[in-house]
Amino acid sequence: QLQLQESGPGLVKPSETLSLTCTVSGGSISSSSYYWGWIRQPPGKGLEWIGNIYYSGTTYYNPSLKSRVTISVDTSKNQFSLKLSSVTAADTAVYYCAILGGNEGVSYMDVWGKGTTVTVSS
Amino acid sequence: EIVMTQSPATLSVSPGERATLSCRASQSVTSNLAWYQQKPGQAPRLLIYGASTRATGLPARFSGSGSGTEFTLTISSLQSEDFAVYYCQQYNYWPTFGGGTKVEIK
């Protein structure tokens, strides 16, 4: 069964770049059956989709974040990554990675990682 | 952006009772609608996709219905483990989530 684990710094300074990695276990990220995604949740608030990626590198981004987001995949490490540039306190959130269902680039989130908390503060 | 509106914000229900949660889209999302459950300190868990298809292993007391702009999640007989926050999400266009409904013990 596929499992996901987020990792990365828990504290990022304002104006810097947030970098997170999601490690996939129990299967190959290169499987043609799956798309992979990032979602975030500010403290006490709802969920916001950040973007998705296919193992080939095809990406889909939230238009409101697109200018600051890069999602990439490293098939040799069975990982995919998120970079969010020019962060502010508004980017403080729990960041989740997920496996998408339905074999579509934009879809529902079938399996979620446990999440990692990122705080933006000087 | 498709705006998803959930109601009510909080639903107080006694164990064993029926809970009905609503989700409305600002424009049609056909049947591209999912429901998630989130408990404190945990990641969301997929319950329903395609508006009415239960995720693997989900108890039959959970059911989803609707299409277009109006959707409903029904929990037929609330168990103690069902008290949580529920989110709807559309994926007909770039994904957006509703603000959530908290189901609390009455």
Side-chain angles (χ1 to χ4, degrees):
Chain A
Q1 183 177 348
L2 285 167
Q3 293 185 316
L4 306 171
Q5 179 65 59
E6 306 88 349
S7 60
L11 181 64
V12 181
K13 290 182 168 55
S15 80
E16 295 189 344
T17 296
L18 176 160
S19 296
L20 297 175
T21 295
C22 183
T23 300
V24 179
S25 59
S28 172
I29 200 168
S30 299
S31 169
S32 60
S33 299
Y34 303 114
Y35 285 76
W36 313 88
W38 288 98
I39 308 95
R40 70 180 182 177
Q41 184 172 36
K45 296 187 178 180
L47 299 159
E48 180 179 35
W49 172 69
I50 300 171
N52 299 335
I53 191 165
Y54 193 50
Y55 78 95
S56 63
T58 300
T59 52
Y60 307 79
Y61 294 141
N62 185 324
S64 68
L65 298 170
K66 187 174 183 178
S67 64
R68 298 194 293 130
V69 172
T70 302
I71 298 176
S72 60
V73 63
D74 187 336
T75 55
S76 66
K77 295 182 178 179
N78 229 30
Q79 296 175 335
F80 61 105
S81 299
L82 168 69
K83 291 188 185 299
L84 181 65
S85 64
S86 305
V87 297
T88 68
D91 295 308
T92 294
V94 177
Y95 285 76
Y96 297 100
C97 60
I99 304 166
L100 273 62
N103 197 25
E104 297 282 348
V106 173
S107 188
Y108 57 91
M109 291 76 179
D110 193 0
V111 178
W112 297 62
K114 293 184 178 181
T116 189
T117 299
V118 178
T119 301
V120 178
S121 175
S122 55
Chain B
E1 173 183 347
I2 298 177
V3 177
M4 306 301 292
T5 302
Q6 291 187 241
S7 61
T10 303
L11 186 61
S12 298
V13 185
S14 299
E17 289 188 341
R18 183 185 192 91
T20 302
L21 289 66
S22 296
C23 175
R24 173 177 292 178
S26 60
Q27 64 190 75
S28 176
V29 298
T30 65
S31 294
N32 292 322
L33 190 286
W35 290 93
Y36 303 88
Q37 176 193 69
Q38 187 177 34
K39 297 179 180 179
Q42 296 185 17
R45 167 198 175 194
L46 175 69
L47 301 177
I48 301 283
Y49 61 95
S52 61
T53 302
R54 278 190 294 272
T56 302
L58 187 69
R61 64 180 182 272
F62 291 89
S63 62
S65 63
S67 65
T69 62
E70 300 283 345
F71 300 89
T72 301
L73 175 70
T74 302
I75 311 171
S76 60
S77 177
L78 272 162
Q79 306 298 303
S80 57
E81 62 266 30
D82 301 335
F83 292 97
V85 178
Y86 292 82
Y87 293 97
C88 62
Q89 175 229 333
Q90 66 78 21
Y91 50 97
N92 197 58
Y93 190 46
W94 55 272
T96 51
F97 293 85
T101 291
K102 181 180 181 179
V103 178
E104 64 176 25
I105 301 175
K106 186 174 182 180

